[in-house]
Amino acid sequence: RSRRLPNGDVAGYQVDNNLDTLCSAIKNAGITIYTTAFNISSTNVETRLKNCASKPEYYSKSTTSANLATFFNGIGEQVRNNMIYVSN
């Protein structure tokens, strides 16, 4: 089901396709994607976010702000553990 946005675009289908295309392009460029669903009840949205994440463990469904903070802290830990330092 889709509806027209004020600019005439068809929402829903185009947004879903754009998200899939964007996620694929980012992952193909070698960039890691983390996704989270916060208080989302749509299984379609959850599936798209899961598929967008670079790895299954890079997706999180958070129902509380504490869950969300834990997920983001985990991302910070992973980034810190994988940093490369370059010096002269």
Side-chain angles (χ1 to χ4, degrees):
R1 184 176 143 189
S2 60
R3 60 187 173 88
R4 291 215 172 263
L5 297 174
N7 65 0
D9 288 342
V10 177
Y13 177 77
Q14 287 178 329
V15 171
D16 289 346
N17 283 338
N18 290 344
L19 178 64
D20 295 342
T21 300
L22 182 62
C23 291
S24 294
I26 292 170
K27 288 190 275 190
N28 289 339
I31 299 170
T32 302
I33 301 174
Y34 296 84
T35 61
T36 186
F38 184 70
N39 285 337
I40 300 290
S41 60
S42 168
T43 56
N44 182 45
V45 171
E46 285 187 53
T47 299
R48 291 206 175 274
L49 289 171
K50 286 178 189 176
N51 292 339
C52 186
S54 295
K55 294 181 179 180
E57 61 268 25
Y58 291 176
Y59 165 79
S60 171
K61 180 177 180 180
S62 301
T63 55
T64 67
S65 58
N67 294 136
L68 193 60
T70 299
F71 179 66
F72 283 117
N73 286 334
I75 293 170
E77 288 291 322
Q78 289 179 13
V79 169
R80 187 175 60 219
N81 291 337
N82 292 315
M83 287 189 345
I84 299 172
Y85 293 95
V86 178
S87 64
N88 293 337

